[in-house]
Each structure stands twice: as C-alpha cells, then as structure tokens.
Amino acid sequence: MEKLTSVHFIDMAYRGWHETEFIGDIVKKISAKLCETFPIVHDGLVGISSRLEELYVKIDIGEDDVRIVGICEMGGIGKTTLARVAYTHMSPHFEGKSFLADVREVSNKYGLVSLQKQLLSQILSEEHFNFFNVHEGNALINHRLSNKKVLVVLDDVDNLQHLKCLVGRRDWFGLGSRIIVTTRDEHLLRSYRVDDVYKPTTLNANDALQLFNLKAFNSETRLENDFSELSKHVLKYAGGLPLALEVLGSFLCGRDATQWRSAIERLERDSNKEIIERLQISFDGLDQTEQNIFLDIACFFNGEEKDFVMKVLDGYCGQKETFIMC
C-alpha cells in the first residue's frame, strides 16, 4: 500500500481548491442563466419580457465584478417598472438589496442623508443608523457594504451628487454587486462612467395595441368593432409610449363611442394633463438655451429631416444634437 506523503496532501488540496473554484463558477453561470430564463408572471406588463432579456445581458450577474448599469430614456417609457421587475427577479441571487424610489424627489424634500440611511437600513435591516452628514454616510456605506454582494436600484436620478453619495466608487460594494440607475439624463450616466446603458424603446404596434386593449377593454386581445377606428386614432396619438397608452386606455374604459370621439377631439386640441405633467419634468430639467432649442424644433421643425434641422440649428453651440437623437 502506498503511503501518503506531504506531497500527496498538497496535490489533493490543490486539486480540491480548483474543483471548488470550478464548481463555484458553474453555480454562478447557472444562476445567471436562471435569472434570464425563469418564467415570471408579469400581470399587465405588456412587452416587458424582451426588455428584461436585453437588460439582463448588460447586467450579467454571472460575473464577479461590480457593475453599474443605467436605464435611460424619456419619461413614461417604463424605466421604473422595468427596474422594479428586474430587482424583484434578481434579488434572491444577492446577500442584500435596496430599491431607492424617487431619488430626485426624496433628495429635494429630505436630503441625501435620508437616502443613505434608507440604503443601509434596507440592506442591514436589523441595525439602526444614526449620522448627520453625507461624508459620514459615505464612510459608513463603504465600511459596511464593501464585503457584501448587493443589488441596489437608484430610481429617477437627476444629479451627479446622487451617484457620488449613494454609489460612490465600485469598491464600496462587494464583488458580484450590481447597481441599476434609472434616469432621463444619459450625459449624467456617461459622466459617471457607468459600465453600460440600456435604452428601452417605445412599444411596437402589436404590444401597443395589446396594452391599450387591456386598459380600455380589460382584454389583451379583444377589440370591439365599434371602437376599431377610434382606437387607431388613440394609438397614433400615443406613439407606443406606455404611459400614454395606460392613461388614455384607463380614461376611455367603459365610455361609449360618442364619449370616445369627444375625448379624441380634445386630444387633438389639448394634450392629456397627466401625460404632459410627467413629460414636463424632462423639459424643466433643461437649461434656458436647451429649452429654447427644444421649442424651436417643436414649433418650426416638427416632422423635418434630422440632417436638415441640424444644419439650420448649427449656430446653437453644437447643442442641437441633444434633441435630434431620436
């Protein structure tokens, strides 16, 4: 019988270490795949499955890095809804989680310290945190979370300070952590050097019709004949924007054809107040020069070719590109 020497033990330990590492890698890859493919019921969330698949490719929870991914587009496109579904779906794969909703509004009302406390309290739920300025908060987040694999969502960010005080540097969080940031400002994400940006598009014609039917007729497929032509007018007005489809569909639900016609005539004169209020936030976030350019395009160049408009507005310090991207 062969005797076991120290060399054998070293060799066994070496192989065991590699097997453990190999198995751990397999577990991570399988977890990532499950996150991408495991079926989830999305009640009323039309068109979200394809968006989730595209977002998960950018998030890539199978890797051991710390990754920051932005979700960026106009208001009403469904950024928050997408981030919340992804958060609910992925959270079992992390040691801790935090969803900070309405960061812009909460920060303006209560300050960044309140958001830092909320972040820590959601991840370390059994502890109480008592500090009074963002610098203490920064140090505490770094100290307490640098060894934890966490999932964090910052919803509706509009200021670089939000990212500096809530995310800071990547080494504030443990390996494998993922941070998702929703915002209307792509420049803010690029300035912060996020790892990737996902830009959801408006719904395609089939999904837009399905969502509208769901809200207007409480059915994903049925479209009543009397309302077929009227619905086409509403769908054209909404342009595939989920917010517009939901608001208008819910408003028209249960009303007769005469009321539909009246509502459509009003829409042609005056836009829906709820939709305008949501989109107004993006306009208000522009500086005066950018607002002037936006109004010039909206009033004088609506429907014109992009290249033509860019030539006409060439004297606006190069800022016209901000508004002619879509």
Side-chain angles (χ1 to χ4, degrees):
M1 179 185 273
E2 184 183 3
K3 292 183 179 180
L4 291 177
T5 65
S6 58
V7 175
H8 286 94
F9 283 112
I10 292 172
D11 180 60
M12 289 166 63
Y14 180 77
R15 282 187 294 173
W17 179 79
H18 275 277
E19 287 173 5
T20 302
E21 186 183 54
F22 180 65
I23 292 169
D25 191 51
I26 290 174
V27 169
K28 277 186 237 168
K29 296 295 182 186
I30 291 174
S31 294
K33 255 325 180 202
L34 284 173
C35 187
E36 293 173 12
T37 60
F38 191 79
I40 294 183
V41 177
H42 306 301
D43 292 333
L45 302 180
V46 177
I48 200 166
S49 296
S50 59
R51 292 179 169 195
L52 282 173
E53 289 174 9
E54 294 166 350
L55 178 61
Y56 288 152
V57 170
K58 296 181 181 294
I59 293 173
D60 193 5
I61 67 170
E63 293 299 320
D64 254 346
D65 56 353
V66 176
R67 189 163 299 189
I68 305 173
V69 175
I71 303 176
C72 178
E73 252 304 338
M74 65 186 294
I77 201 79
K79 299 182 297 295
T80 300
T81 300
L82 180 62
R84 191 170 286 283
V85 173
Y87 173 81
T88 303
H89 192 185
M90 293 190 300
S91 56
H93 299 278
F94 295 84
E95 297 174 53
K97 60 181 181 177
S98 173
F99 191 108
L100 299 182
D102 304 313
V103 168
R104 173 181 54 84
E105 184 179 346
V106 174
S107 175
N108 289 338
K109 284 185 178 179
Y110 305 107
L112 278 168
V113 171
S114 68
L115 285 165
Q116 290 178 321
K117 290 179 179 178
Q118 186 180 340
L119 172 68
L120 287 163
S121 297
Q122 287 181 356
I123 295 173
L124 305 170
S125 56
E126 296 181 358
E127 300 188 36
H128 176 71
F129 298 94
N130 192 27
F131 52 91
F132 303 98
N133 61 68
V134 292
H135 303 293
E136 290 181 70
N138 291 349
L140 200 52
I141 292 170
N142 182 16
H143 176 66
R144 297 304 309 274
L145 302 183
S146 60
N147 291 315
K148 271 191 172 296
K149 178 183 175 181
V150 299
L151 174 63
V152 176
V153 175
L154 307 183
D155 172 52
D156 194 19
V157 169
D158 73 341
N159 191 307
L160 197 58
Q161 284 302 115
H162 297 158
L163 296 174
K164 288 182 177 179
C165 294
L166 296 170
V167 177
R169 302 186 309 271
R170 284 166 177 76
D171 62 5
W172 281 18
F173 306 96
L175 292 177
S177 292
R178 292 292 182 269
I179 294 94
I180 301 171
V181 181
T182 77
T183 181
R184 304 175 189 215
D185 187 351
E186 185 176 0
H187 177 69
L188 183 146
L189 296 173
R190 302 298 183 189
S191 299
Y192 196 70
R193 300 185 182 279
V194 299
D195 295 288
D196 214 333
V197 176
Y198 177 63
K199 301 180 75 172
T201 59
T202 53
L203 297 177
N204 62 40
N206 289 335
D207 286 340
L209 178 60
Q210 184 181 340
L211 177 58
F212 180 71
N213 286 345
L214 189 66
K215 299 300 177 181
F217 304 109
N218 295 317
S219 168
E220 293 185 5
T221 55
R222 181 172 61 91
L223 185 60
E224 298 181 12
N225 293 331
D226 293 346
F227 297 94
S228 179
E229 286 302 313
L230 294 172
S231 295
K232 289 178 183 178
H233 288 286
V234 181
L235 290 169
K236 183 179 178 181
Y237 174 86
L241 188 68
L243 171 67
L245 290 163
E246 289 187 12
V247 170
L248 296 176
S250 298
F251 174 76
L252 294 169
C253 183
R255 300 180 188 271
D256 60 33
T258 302
Q259 291 172 313
W260 275 53
R261 291 189 188 92
S262 175
I264 291 168
E265 288 173 4
R266 284 204 309 274
L267 284 174
E268 291 174 351
R269 296 193 307 268
D270 304 298
S271 298
N272 178 273
K273 182 181 178 183
E274 184 176 348
I275 298 170
I276 288 299
E277 284 177 351
R278 289 282 294 275
L279 298 180
Q280 182 77 31
I281 296 170
S282 296
F283 181 78
D284 291 342
L286 304 174
D287 63 33
Q288 189 60 54
T289 302
E290 291 170 334
Q291 288 184 358
N292 290 339
I293 297 172
F294 179 91
L295 293 173
D296 284 346
I297 295 172
C299 294
F300 303 114
F301 301 106
N302 190 18
E304 297 287 351
E305 289 291 329
K306 170 183 171 181
D307 291 341
F308 169 72
V309 178
M310 290 180 71
K311 283 182 181 179
V312 175
L313 298 177
D314 199 37
Y316 277 80
C317 306
Q319 295 188 56
K320 74 280 182 184
E321 293 182 5
T322 304
F323 306 104
I324 318 177
M325 295 286 287
C326 45

